[in-house]
Amino acid sequence: MFKTASSIIGKDVDSTFLIVVGVCILMLCIITFLTAFFIIRYRRSRNRTATDIPGNIILETAWTVIPVFIVLSLFYFGWNDYKKRTQVPADAINVSVTAQQWSWSFEYEGNIKSKILKLPKGRPVKLLLASNDVIHSLYIPAFRVKEDVVPGLRDNYLWFTPDEVGKYNLFCAEYCGLGHSRMLTTVEVMDESAFNKWREDMMAEVSMSANLSSAELGLRLSSEKGCTGCHSVDGTKRIGPSWKGLYLKKETVITDGKEVVVVVDKEYIRKSMLEPAADVVKGFPPIMPSQKGLLTDKEIEALIEYIKTL
C-alpha cells in the first residue's frame, strides 16, 4: 500500500511520482491498444499480399511532438521539485550531522548533541552534512529525502519540513564498510512544545556535564562518537573487540605481520585510537578509522577511564 510522505517536500515528490506513473500507465494502455489493433487490422487473413503503406505527415508529426511535450512536462515537475530543495527558508533550524563508520551524530545550537534526530513538527530544518571518513548517504524514506555525505565537501546540506508527529528510520544509503547495515538511527518528530522541553532538558544536561567524572564523560562519549557501534560493552562480539573486561587483558595482536601478545593498558588503548592499524587484535579486520584530530586528549582519557570500569 502506498503511504504518503511525512514531510512537505516529500508530498511534492509523491505528486511528481504519481504524475510520472500516471503518464506511464496511460502510454502503456495506448501502446497496448494500438498493438492489438494493428495485429487484428493487418492480420494475414485480411492482407494476403504485402502492400506499401504511404507516410502520413500528421501522424508522424504527432508522435514526434507529443512525446517531446510529455518529456518536457515531466522535466518541469522534476526541476520544480529540485528548485524547492535548494531554497532553504530563513527560519530553518540548523542541525549539524556528522557521519562516520558506522554511526550518525547530531548537534544543535548550544552544544546539544544527540544520537537521535529530534525535530519539531511544522518547522523547516536544515541538515548540515559532514563525514569524518568515507562517503555516506543520509536517507529518510518517510520524508523522501536523500543526500550523499562526502568527506571534505563544503556547504553540503539538505532541508525539509516534517509535518507528522512520529518516529521514522534514518539509514545510510551508500555502502561504507562492514558495519554499513547497522548505520541507522531514528528521526523523532514531536510537537513544538515537546521539542522545546527536550531542548531545555538537554541544555541543563550540557551545563551539568562540567561536573561529570572522567568515566561518566567517557560513557557519554562512547555513544556520541559512535564507539559502541563496533565495540560492545557486554561481551558481545562485533566488528571490534568488546570493551567488557578489556582493560589489562592479554591480547594477541598482529604487528608488522607478526603475532605479538600485549597487555591492554592505557598506552595501548591510546595508540589503538590514534594508530588503529599498528597493532590489530587477532581475528578482527583492520578497519577502524584513526581518531587523530577527532578526539582530544581529555576525551581519550575519559574513554580509557570508562573502559576501566567495564
Side-chain angles (χ1 to χ4, degrees):
M1 182 177 179
F2 182 76
K3 186 180 185 305
T4 58
S6 300
S7 71
I8 294 175
I9 280 183
K11 287 180 171 59
D12 293 335
V13 172
D14 284 351
S15 297
T16 300
F17 173 78
L18 291 174
I19 290 171
V20 173
V21 170
V23 170
C24 290
I25 292 174
L26 176 62
M27 295 301 295
L28 173 64
C29 293
I30 292 173
I31 293 170
T32 302
F33 169 77
L34 290 176
T35 301
F37 172 77
F38 291 140
I39 289 173
I40 296 172
R41 174 67 178 80
Y42 298 104
R43 66 187 184 274
R44 185 178 182 184
S45 62
R46 294 187 58 179
N47 299 271
R48 293 289 181 180
T49 304
T51 57
D52 183 32
I53 300 175
N56 186 312
I57 189 66
I58 295 177
L59 285 177
E60 291 176 3
T61 301
W63 66 53
T64 301
V65 173
I66 292 175
V68 169
F69 174 75
I70 291 173
V71 169
L72 291 177
S73 298
L74 296 181
F75 174 81
Y76 167 77
F77 288 113
W79 174 255
N80 196 42
D81 286 347
Y82 173 77
K83 276 185 63 179
K84 289 180 181 179
R85 288 171 179 264
T86 63
Q87 298 169 346
V88 184
D91 62 339
I93 299 172
N94 289 331
V95 181
S96 296
V97 181
T98 302
Q100 67 179 46
Q101 295 171 313
W102 290 273
S103 67
W104 299 99
S105 61
F106 309 97
E107 183 172 350
Y108 302 75
E109 184 181 352
N111 200 32
I112 296 173
K113 297 179 181 179
S114 174
K115 300 301 289 184
I116 294 175
L117 181 57
K118 306 258 189 176
L119 300 173
K121 174 187 173 183
R123 286 282 303 278
V125 56
K126 180 180 180 181
L127 302 183
L128 308 170
L129 308 175
S131 171
N132 283 340
D133 37 51
V134 299
I135 296 178
H136 300 278
S137 186
L138 187 146
Y139 178 39
I140 310 175
F143 298 162
R144 311 294 194 262
V145 293
K146 184 175 83 71
E147 187 71 32
D148 286 350
V149 187
V150 183
L153 182 62
R154 295 177 178 274
D155 197 30
N156 192 19
Y157 69 90
L158 66 81
W159 80 274
F160 53 88
T161 303
D163 63 352
E164 291 184 21
V165 172
K167 294 183 178 181
Y168 309 93
N169 292 321
L170 185 156
F171 300 93
C172 175
E174 182 77 28
Y175 182 72
C176 53
L178 291 178
H180 167 71
S181 62
R182 292 199 305 275
M183 191 170 173
L184 52 87
T185 185
T186 303
V187 182
E188 185 174 340
V189 180
M190 55 188 77
D191 291 325
E192 188 151 3
S193 58
F195 176 77
N196 291 334
K197 176 65 167 57
W198 172 78
R199 279 182 60 92
E200 291 173 4
D201 293 343
M202 292 300 292
M203 288 292 289
E205 190 173 319
V206 169
S207 64
M208 292 174 57
S209 63
N211 300 320
L212 291 178
S213 68
S214 186
E216 290 171 332
L217 177 60
L219 170 60
R220 174 182 291 182
L221 288 170
S222 68
S223 176
E224 289 181 358
K225 300 296 183 179
C227 305
T228 50
C230 298
H231 304 280
S232 74
V233 295
D234 60 0
T236 303
K237 186 176 180 180
R238 294 183 182 171
I239 297 173
S242 175
W243 283 358
K244 183 176 182 180
L246 181 64
Y247 192 69
L248 297 183
K249 178 183 177 182
K250 290 184 178 180
E251 287 278 20
T252 300
V253 301
I254 308 300
T255 304
D256 295 329
K258 300 178 181 179
E259 292 188 9
V260 181
V261 177
V262 300
V263 175
V264 182
D265 56 12
K266 185 175 180 179
E267 291 307 314
Y268 173 80
I269 297 175
R270 174 184 290 275
K271 186 177 180 182
S272 295
M273 294 181 185
L274 302 179
E275 302 175 53
D279 304 296
V280 181
V281 177
K282 184 179 179 181
F284 293 92
I287 57 177
M288 177 173 167
S290 173
Q291 300 302 299
K292 188 177 294 184
L294 303 178
L295 292 174
T296 64
D297 288 340
K298 180 180 179 181
E299 289 173 335
I300 292 174
E301 290 293 330
L303 286 168
I304 293 172
E305 290 302 316
Y306 171 56
I307 291 172
K308 286 182 180 180
T309 67
L310 300 171

